[in-house]
Structure formats: C-alpha cells, structure tokens
Amino acid sequence: MRWRPGTSRPPSRLTALAAAAAVLSTGLALLPAPPATAVAGGITLHVSTQGTDRPAGIGTAARPFRTIERAQRVARVISRTHLVPVQVLVHGGTYHLDRALTFDTRDSGTERAPVRYTAAPGEKVVLSGGRALRPDWRPHSGPVKVADIGSGLDFDQLFVDGERQTLARYPNYDPTAQILGGTAADAVSPARVATWKNPTTALVRALHNGGWGGNSFKVTGVRPDGTPELQWVGDNNRGSGMHATHRMVENVFEELDAPGEWYHDKAAGRLYYHAPDGVDLATARVETAEHAELIRVEGEGPDRPVRHLSFSGFTLTQTHRTLFTHPYEKLQLGDWAIARTGAVYLRNTEYVDIRGGHFDQVGGNAVFLDGYNRRNTVAGNEFSSSGATDVAIIGRPDAVREPSTWDAMRRTITDTAPGPKSENHPREITVSGNHMHDNGQFEKQTSGVQISMSRRITVKGNTIHDGPRACVDINDGTWGGHLIEDNSLFDCVKETSDHGPFNSWGRDRFWPLDADDATKKAYAKLDAMETTVIRHNRIRHSSAWDIDLDDGSSNYLIENNLLLNGGVKLREGFHRTVRNNIFVNGGGHFHVWYADTGDVVENNIFVTDNPYDLIGVDMAKSGPLIDKNLFWNNGKPVADVNDAWRAQGLDVHSVIADPKFPGAGPFADPSQLDYTVAGDSPALALGFRNFPTTGFGASGTPAPPPLEWRAAPPDPYKSLAEPLLGATATQIHSDELKSSVGLTDYDGLALKDVPPDSYAAGQGLRVNDVIRAVDGQKVTDRTSYWSVYHRIPAGQQIRLSVWRNQAATEVNLAKPSGTETVNNTAATAFTGSWGFSANRRVGDLADDVHYTTADGASATLTFHGTGVTVLGEKYSDQGDVEIFVDGVSQGLVDTTSAERQAQAAVFGVSGLSAGEHSVRVVKRSGKYATLDGFRITG
C-alpha cells in the first residue's frame, strides 16, 4: 500500500522490530535488539530442554526458554502487532507434555507475518503425550516383573525404548497373523471369562460381522450363564455385530503370558511387564501414553479462525488410544464412525500447516480437521503405525442438507438447494507428499486419508500402504471437487473386506429416495456438486477393485491411472467417466446400475482375460458409452467382448491387440511398473494417450509388490444361474456378488434376472433380491432352499425372507400350480460318483448337467406333486437307466440316440396322489448317464 501525505506513515520493518523488542523488554523478557539476520527473517524464539522459563530465559539461542508454552506467550505479543514473522525454534529432546499445546486466535499470524513452530534443523524434537517412568522393578512370577508407579495414572499404551508394547491379550500377538495380530473364536467364551479375576477390565476388539471395519466392546460384567456383558463403543456405522471368529481380548491380567506384554493395575498403582529378550530393565526407557491430543488449534468460529500458523519437523508420539475413551459419531450413510480428536486437532482455522513431521505410533487419529478449515496443508510428513486414521478431514452434520443416517433414512427430499447448508465444513485442504503406512493399529474403519462432508480436498503425491481398510476414503458425495492425484496406493484392505484402496460412497440425498431413476439422476449433483478427479495414481490391490465407487458415488472423472491387480467398481451412481487408464489384471466391475447413468468408459487398456463383471446391470437401460478400449490377454481369448456385447452398441470400435508395453511385459514380469506403450501401439490409434508411469507417491518410499495373476475361475457349480419361478438365481458365490447386494455373509440365493413377465416378478420378487429364508428355514445355498421348497404343495402360500436394497423385507407368494421346471442342481441327492459340467453350449437346461460313468450311481429328487418328468441327454454314448418312483422300480429306460438330444424327456409319470413323492434315476449301462432337471406337476 502506498503512503499518502496527511496520514500516519506505516512503520518500516526495522521500526516494527524495534517496537517489538521494546514490548518484550518492558513486559515479558529482556530480549535484546534482534541481530541483522533476525531482521531479515523476523524474530526467532528458542526453546530447549536445557532452557528455563524463569527470568534468566529470554528466548535467545544462548538463553532459551524451557517450554513451548512459555515461547507461545511471547510469540502472541509479537504476532499481535502483525508486524513481523515469528518463529519458535524448538531444539532437540523429548518434551513430555502435561496437556495439549492449545492455540487460538491470539496465536494467529498474517500472510506476510506468519507464526511458525519449527523443530531445529537436524535435531530430533519429540512431543510426547505421556511421561517417563522410573520403575523399580522386582520379580512377580516367572519372567513377569512388577513395579509400584503410583496411583492416578491413566494410560493404555506403554513404550519401552520408544517401541509400543503389547497390552496383555488373548490370543497372544502374532506378527504373522494378518487380522488384529491374531484372533480366536473363544476370546470371550464362558470358559475363558471364568479364568479372569476381574473381567470388567477386559476390552474386546473384533472385526464387524461383515468384515466392514472393526467393532469394539468393553466388558461390563458377567451374566449367570458365564457369558460377558458387552458394551459397544460405537466404532462402526453399520451396527454392532461382532465377527464370529475374528475377535480378541486385552487388558486382562491373567492373559499376561508372553514377551512384550504388560498390564497396569490402576487401583493398586502397579505396572506388570514381561520384558522381551534383550531388554535391560535397569537401563530401558519406559514411557506412558496419557493424552489423546498434543496440539490443538481452535478458532472462535468460521468468521474468527486461527490463521497463518504452522508446525514443522516435530515427532509426535505416545498419545492415548481413543478407541475406548472417546464417543463415536456416525458419518451419514457411509460405513464410518469417528472420534472427533487427533494428535493434532484443527477447527476453525485457515492457512494452518503441518509439515515435515513424524507421527509415530499415536494412539488414535494423527491429524483431525474438524468442521470449518480452509487452505490448510499437511505435507511431507511420515505417519507410522497410527492407532486410527492418519489424516481425517471431516465436516459437521449441520452443514448437510437433509442428511440421512442408517438409523433415520430419508425417503423424500424437501430441500432441493444444492451445496452445503453452513460454513461448518473443510474446504481447499491439501494433503501432499506424505508417507503413510501401517495405520489402524487399533481401529479398523481407518485409512491414510479420510474425507467426509468436505469440498475441494487435494490428496497429491502421497505413498499410502499397509492398512486394514482403505488407503483413501471419501465417505459421501458432499460436496465433491476433490483431486486425488500422483499417489501410490497399495497393500490396503489387509484386515477387512469389500473395499478398495480408494473407496467412496455417494449415499447422498438422492440415494435413499423412493423415486424412479430419472428423478434420482436429477438430484445426484445436489451434493456431489463438483467433479471429483482421480488422476495419475498407481494403485495396486490384492482383490477385485483398486478404485471402489460404491453405493451412489457420482460425478467422478477417473483418468490416467495405472491400476494393478484390480479394476474399477461403479455402483448405483451417475456421471462417471473412466478414461485413459491402464488396467493390468483387472477390469470394470459394473454393479447395480440405474437407467441412463451417463457413464463413459473409453480409451482404456485392459490387460486381463475378463474385462467386465456385470451384476444387476441392464446395459440397454443404463445406456453407458463404452468404446475405443484395447484388450489384451497375451494372445488368448478375452471374455465378454464378443458379437453379443457389440450388438448392444458396446466396444464397437474397440480392439483385441498387443498394446506393446516395454520390456518383457506383465505376463512374464509381474513386477513391471513401466507401462508406456510404443509409438506404434494400436491403443494410440484408438485415442489412448501415454502418461508417465513414474512420479507416483512421496520420494524415497516403497513401491508396490508384483502382480498376482488369478489362477482359476470361480467354482462353476456355485456360480451357476439356475431357473427359479421364471427368474434365474445364483448362490452368493463371490466377494463381488456379496458386495453388490450388501451382505455380510455368503448365505442366500440372489436373483440375477427377473423378467417383468415372469411368475417371480408377478409375485413381488425383484432383480438383486436375495432369498435368505423360506418358511422360516434359513437359506445358505441352493440345496437348503430347494429341499424346503419342493415339499410345499402347489398353490400354498410361501413366506420368503428377502434381502433387498441392503435391508430385510418379506415377500409372500403362492407356489405355482401346473408344471414347474427345475434344474438338476435343485436339491437332487446324488450317490456314487457324479461329475458336473457347465457351459456345454448344447442346449442343456441352465447350460449344465450332472453325469456319471459309474454303474449303480443314482440321483434322487423328493417333491410334492402329482407327476414328474425326468430330463436328461440322449446320445450314442448313453445306455440304460432304471427309474424308481416312491421306491418302486419302473423298469429300464434306453437313453441312446444317434443324434444328441438335450433336455430329453427320459421318463414321465402322472396321476400320482397329491402329496410327497420321490423319483430316483440309477445308471445301469452305457458309458454315460446324464441328469438335466425335472418337470414337476403340482
């Protein structure tokens, strides 16, 4: 700003520095006039473990302060003048904090005069949430030692020589066990609980019953039958179901039986410890973890935030776990529940940066941006072994218009205004250049970066690996505009299921509506206002999809990504473009699509035998643009890309051809990471454009492991689609199908296709329904369904328990009269040696048969009706079969024929009394006997 005559001339920088020094000398410390070097860079205040907060400490390098709090008070005075930058330079050592360092609007700087808290270059500065103990160890029992440490301490992590130790647990910690460090079905069995003197100290950690993150419990007592009373802590948004086998218990004195385990008797003030070999307790450094937060920055509101404040170079460690001590909040319709706290907690801030630090073994979230935060940066840090999420960026529910929860689902919309309702949400946050690994040590619904109720978040150039759930997760569509770019993501989803390294949900206002697809599409961008871009990332997964756009995720652009060992899932959303990506050992998973999705899949390279997986998708109605893609299976056939596929207008201009990668190629070298195509690649002629297959992740961080080529297709018997009331049904035969219907287990029959004119549709069944019970009998597979169904009389009402749209419902239908055709797989009992053959393409019912070459082998069907026809094959290699009805032989039947006859009527009987009957087929001669199905007359 130019000075005008007649006004007060603004002070020069030198004058400002002199004024600041005068304030300090008269009010807080005898700070000498800053030297010339300080004039150029502002004022630096020094802190050292060897300093003092008494008058002798004045914050210079020669006479530093002892605590950061003391320097903070001086920095406030300087920054209040808004004249010069202020740096608090903290020198090497460990600072055990009595409480969190708390910053408010008084700590703000300005753009030209920021306030910086910085670790001295080349010095390790540790901010600890615990305290150093001085235990006087004495023998207790065997290798376990005990020390009196005094009462009143509250810690649930113990560190010895800087390494986290194991809270006494069952089963014992096993570093090779992928889930929870080892699990046991009997972790809280009555027999085990009976061995504990004080069960109410016990803490139970488990997976969700569907593998969707974790679920954790406190033991509050013991029932008369010996089972524990469990209090759920609320750490999952999809219910409190505990996995039947993946569970463990900790904080039980009687389970202290392995090296590295410890137990704290709070009431007695005693610490018990089983030291591992090599640990010298006489010299070991023993520290607790007592505070959940180390740095807390909170402004007064969105209109009075803390501004221009930064923290650089610190090691933050030894914070209390939040899993059993903080309340959890369910985040809309995502799967997440979170504790709003972190080792660094930011709320109502702008331009607050966390840079170049190390978050080492913190007990909960490492960095938590809560509500209004703007233009903050988390960059260049390492996050290792966090108890929960590394960086959580979470808005407040009051910013969301008409939010739904799993407990209160909105089926109508009254507020159709787009965008947020309040300012109480993060926006324009950057998370870049970080190395994040081994998060979720205690909580299992965690990730490297978690985003919810936020806008325009940039996640760029990070390496994120080895976590129990997603590497990056976006909990909802509100409000989009995010950029996920240049990241290296791998080895995530290691302990849970049904997830991708990148995961999102879009269960926004439109998703739960009782409305047609066109109405939902019209509302899809009310919350997902701006396009979220996933661009130039290298993502590697050990399962089906690298990028998981789940339930309703809308308005995404996915381009220039190298996707290894997985693909992209698109489910129930609109306006998604998948363009110019390289899929290696993966493809497109299209699940449960709406009509007229507006989706585009083009200019991609698919290196796989099966580029598309369709579940609950009618391509004719969904109307996607899928074209100009290149497919390659090392010269072998590529499934799905055929005349029938192209007849639907899909991949009309696509080709199957060698993309001409450099080197040996991924089939010969699964560790290959360079996928730049040659100048004469046919992919380029289709519109594909090379992108750098380098520049992913933070510098100097690990690369993903090699590909794992899938060896065998799914079991054809389990995946078989068989007729059911004019529809087709399959077992829950894969993780993909289980995910598409939103189940936590593999029980039931899923209706793959329900034609509108079918009997099933007329009786109220729908596509993607899963039949979970019939007349109260649980359905686990096809046999458990048909064995009940066949015994029900024609015309009688049947009560079906159905899983529909991720909720349970009931459908009552009448078993049809007349003749019903069922497959050979429909609860037929086989004895002797039988084989199963699918996909024969000769006209079999459901394209499959059972067959035997063993004379005497038999197949029996029990049914309720008045007649039955046995269907099989007649051919020259067949022979005689003997038929029994209700145990009585009906004689031999010749099944030979010069020409192959599929679905041939081998035997028929009618006029039986209405009731339960059996028909049995026994092979007597010939090379083969086949069974293809039955026609049952009610």
Side-chain angles (χ1 to χ4, degrees):
M1 181 177 69
R2 179 181 298 177
W3 173 72
R4 298 191 305 254
T7 64
S8 297
R9 182 185 295 273
S12 68
R13 179 174 291 272
L14 289 175
T15 303
L17 286 168
V23 169
L24 290 169
S25 65
T26 58
L28 290 172
L30 298 175
L31 182 67
T37 54
V39 171
I43 292 178
T44 297
L45 304 173
H46 292 262
V47 178
S48 169
T49 57
Q50 306 304 311
T52 179
D53 289 347
R54 295 177 180 177
I58 59 174
T60 63
R63 297 164 62 185
F65 296 128
R66 170 67 180 83
T67 64
I68 297 171
E69 293 96 328
R70 179 71 174 93
Q72 177 189 17
R73 293 197 297 271
V74 176
R76 280 176 171 174
V77 174
I78 300 172
S79 63
R80 225 173 287 161
T81 67
H82 294 261
L83 298 173
V84 293
V86 179
Q87 177 179 237
V88 176
L89 191 67
V90 184
H91 292 275
T94 298
Y95 297 78
H96 291 101
L97 304 179
D98 294 332
R99 64 188 66 83
L101 299 171
T102 303
F103 299 83
D104 56 33
T105 53
R106 295 171 294 174
D107 297 288
S108 290
T110 66
E111 182 178 3
R112 296 184 61 187
V115 178
R116 303 185 181 97
Y117 288 76
T118 306
E123 302 180 34
K124 185 175 181 179
V125 180
V126 178
L127 303 183
S128 168
R131 72 180 71 207
L133 300 177
R134 300 289 183 265
D136 184 9
W137 298 105
R138 63 183 185 274
H140 170 67
S141 176
V144 177
K145 301 293 192 294
V146 63
D148 294 309
I149 60 173
S151 60
L153 300 185
D154 180 15
F155 60 93
D156 63 357
Q157 289 204 87
L158 186 75
F159 293 82
V160 175
D161 292 332
E163 295 297 323
R164 176 188 280 145
Q165 303 300 293
T166 303
L167 187 56
R169 56 169 282 166
Y170 173 79
N172 290 331
Y173 176 73
D174 178 359
T176 67
Q178 183 165 296
I179 298 174
L180 291 162
T183 59
D186 69 340
V188 288
S189 66
R192 188 133 214 117
V193 173
T195 67
W196 304 339
K197 181 178 179 180
N198 185 6
T200 59
T201 67
L203 305 172
V204 180
R205 292 193 283 122
L207 290 191
H208 181 274
N209 61 319
W212 301 336
N215 263 328
S216 305
F217 306 81
K218 298 177 183 179
V219 176
T220 59
V222 180
R223 299 184 181 92
D225 65 357
T227 59
E229 295 176 346
L230 299 177
Q231 177 186 337
W232 181 42
V233 302
D235 54 330
N236 199 296
N237 199 10
R238 298 299 298 274
S240 59
M242 185 194 303
H243 199 282
T245 58
H246 291 312
R247 52 178 67 178
M248 53 81 69
V249 64
E250 62 187 4
N251 201 41
V252 177
F253 179 71
E254 287 77 11
E255 304 296 352
L256 203 170
D257 59 358
E261 289 191 346
W262 64 276
Y263 178 81
H264 177 214
D265 186 335
K266 293 183 181 180
R270 293 192 183 101
L271 176 63
Y272 297 84
Y273 181 51
H274 185 332
D277 292 342
V279 173
D280 183 355
L281 289 181
T283 59
R285 188 174 79 255
V286 181
E287 296 164 294
T288 65
E290 301 181 27
H291 307 299
E293 296 179 355
L294 300 176
I295 295 173
R296 185 179 183 91
V297 185
E298 185 169 8
E300 297 174 27
D303 56 340
R304 285 186 56 78
V306 180
R307 293 188 175 100
H308 297 289
L309 179 65
S310 66
F311 303 89
S312 303
F314 296 104
T315 295
L316 298 97
T317 189
Q318 297 166 351
T319 58
H320 199 287
R321 299 192 304 183
T322 53
L323 181 57
F324 295 100
T325 57
H326 284 68
Y328 280 82
E329 176 186 323
K330 297 180 178 182
L331 295 180
Q332 297 198 94
L333 285 174
D335 285 4
W336 288 61
I338 52 92
R340 287 187 182 268
T341 185
V344 173
Y345 174 89
L346 308 178
R347 187 178 184 192
N348 296 324
T349 71
E350 294 179 353
Y351 301 99
V352 173
D353 297 346
I354 313 295
R355 296 179 180 271
H358 182 195
F359 290 80
D360 179 25
Q361 305 172 94
V362 298
N365 302 310
V367 178
F368 199 102
L369 287 80
D370 183 4
Y372 180 79
N373 289 276
R374 177 174 172 267
R375 300 281 178 94
N376 297 341
T377 298
V378 180
N381 305 280
E382 180 179 0
F383 297 82
S384 58
S385 300
S386 299
T389 288
D390 291 329
V391 179
I393 305 168
I394 314 292
R396 290 273 173 163
D398 62 42
V400 182
R401 299 180 188 275
E402 298 191 340
S404 279
T405 66
W406 288 105
D407 301 321
M409 196 88 73
R410 292 179 180 267
R411 301 297 184 182
T412 60
I413 290 179
T414 58
D415 185 348
T416 57
K421 191 175 181 180
S422 76
E423 294 295 313
N424 213 358
H425 64 279
R427 77 290 305 272
E428 298 165 5
I429 307 298
T430 298
V431 181
S432 65
N434 302 285
H435 182 198
M436 302 170 163
H437 59 93
D438 299 285
N439 72 73
Q441 291 293 307
F442 305 121
E443 302 179 36
K444 300 305 173 184
Q445 192 68 276
T446 60
S447 62
V449 181
Q450 159 69 357
I451 300 168
S452 178
M453 296 175 282
S454 300
R455 189 175 187 181
R456 298 178 184 169
I457 309 302
T458 296
V459 181
K460 182 179 176 66
N462 305 282
T463 298
I464 309 176
H465 61 94
D466 289 282
R469 205 130 173 82
C471 294
V472 177
D473 182 88
I474 299 179
N475 185 79
D476 38 68
T478 52
W479 288 274
H482 311 307
L483 174 62
I484 316 298
E485 182 177 46
D486 298 339
N487 301 286
S488 178
L489 312 178
F490 59 93
D491 282 354
C492 290
V493 202
K494 292 181 70 172
E495 298 184 59
T496 61
S497 66
D498 194 4
H499 222 47
F502 174 88
N503 182 84
S504 67
W505 292 286
R507 300 164 181 157
D508 303 309
R509 273 179 281 180
F510 82 90
W511 185 75
L513 287 183
D514 288 329
D516 59 33
D517 292 355
T519 301
K520 289 188 175 187
K521 185 177 183 180
Y523 290 147
K525 290 186 180 181
L526 292 180
D527 296 302
M529 299 172 61
E530 300 178 15
T531 301
T532 289
V533 177
I534 304 175
R535 179 172 62 208
H536 193 250
N537 302 279
R538 183 178 62 205
I539 309 178
R540 192 265 190 201
H541 190 28
S542 59
S543 188
W545 37 77
D546 297 310
I547 297 175
D548 183 355
L549 301 193
D550 212 349
D551 295 356
S553 298
S554 297
N555 201 4
Y556 275 80
L557 170 62
I558 301 171
E559 65 179 2
N560 295 353
N561 297 286
L562 177 57
L563 304 177
L564 303 173
N565 228 58
V568 173
K569 184 174 84 176
L570 306 178
R571 178 192 167 107
E572 284 184 318
F574 300 99
H575 312 297
R576 299 161 300 192
T577 296
V578 181
R579 175 187 297 143
N580 215 81
N581 303 281
I582 300 175
F583 296 76
V584 187
N585 198 24
H589 299 263
F590 307 148
H591 295 179
V592 196
W593 276 9
Y594 298 118
D596 189 21
T597 62
D599 291 336
V600 176
V601 180
E602 64 180 4
N603 304 130
N604 302 286
I605 297 175
F606 293 94
V607 184
T608 178
D609 60 343
N610 185 22
Y612 300 125
D613 171 51
L614 276 62
I615 301 176
V617 175
D618 184 338
M619 289 306 225
K621 292 181 179 179
S622 299
L625 170 60
I626 301 180
D627 202 6
K628 299 181 180 178
N629 300 296
L630 182 140
F631 308 97
W632 181 239
N633 187 27
N634 206 26
K636 300 176 182 177
V638 176
D640 298 329
V641 183
N642 50 36
D643 290 343
W645 180 256
R646 290 190 168 99
Q648 300 179 79
L650 306 169
D651 283 311
V652 173
H653 302 96
S654 300
V655 300
I656 300 173
D658 186 346
K660 299 189 177 181
F661 296 130
F667 293 97
D669 180 11
S671 64
Q672 177 168 327
L673 294 176
D674 183 359
Y675 287 90
T676 306
V677 303
D680 59 346
S681 169
L684 299 175
L686 292 170
F688 177 83
R689 295 293 177 262
N690 269 318
F691 56 85
T693 54
T694 58
F696 303 110
S699 176
T701 54
L707 297 169
E708 297 173 357
W709 290 101
R710 293 167 180 81
D715 183 339
Y717 185 79
K718 290 184 178 180
S719 60
L720 177 75
E722 62 188 346
L724 189 155
L725 299 175
T728 55
T730 73
Q731 295 183 180
I732 310 298
H733 57 83
S734 67
D735 289 338
E736 291 88 341
L737 180 55
K738 180 165 74 79
S739 169
S740 72
V741 295
L743 281 173
T744 62
D745 55 45
Y746 298 87
D747 292 340
L749 289 184
L751 299 187
K752 182 178 181 180
D753 180 42
V754 184
D757 58 351
S758 66
Y759 187 83
Q763 293 291 305
L765 292 171
R766 300 290 180 263
V767 171
N768 298 318
D769 280 355
V770 181
I771 300 173
R772 301 276 282 177
V774 52
D775 278 353
Q777 301 296 307
K778 184 177 180 179
V779 174
T780 57
D781 57 12
R782 55 171 51 91
T783 299
S784 61
Y785 170 81
W786 289 110
S787 60
V788 175
Y789 179 87
H790 285 326
R791 287 176 164 85
I792 298 172
Q796 182 170 308
Q797 286 290 308
I798 303 175
R799 186 177 78 259
L800 299 180
S801 297
V802 171
W803 183 253
R804 174 183 292 169
N805 295 332
Q806 303 193 42
T809 188
E810 284 201 352
V811 174
N812 293 304
L813 56 81
K815 185 174 181 179
S817 301
T819 300
E820 182 177 5
T821 302
V822 300
N823 199 38
N824 45 289
T825 57
T828 306
F830 295 93
T831 62
S833 177
W834 287 82
F836 174 75
S837 180
N839 304 313
R840 298 203 312 156
R841 303 292 191 264
V842 297
D844 301 323
L845 178 65
D847 201 19
D848 76 279
V849 293
H850 275 85
Y851 64 91
T852 183
T853 59
D855 288 350
S858 67
T860 303
L861 180 75
T862 301
F863 64 95
H864 194 291
T866 61
V868 65
T869 299
V870 179
L871 304 178
E873 181 180 81
K874 291 185 176 181
Y875 197 39
S876 58
D877 55 5
Q878 309 281 314
D880 290 338
V881 295
E882 186 175 3
I883 307 295
F884 293 80
V885 176
D886 295 336
V888 178
S889 176
Q890 308 297 303
L892 295 176
V893 177
D894 181 7
T895 63
T896 60
S897 171
E899 301 294 330
R900 185 188 300 274
Q901 298 178 34
Q903 295 193 54
V906 172
F907 170 83
V909 62
S910 61
L912 301 174
S913 60
E916 191 170 298
H917 300 279
S918 68
V919 59
R920 180 159 61 104
V921 181
V922 183
K923 180 182 182 298
R924 295 305 186 194
S925 67
K927 184 175 182 180
Y928 293 103
T930 60
L931 180 68
D932 196 14
F934 303 88
R935 295 194 189 104
I936 302 170
T937 304

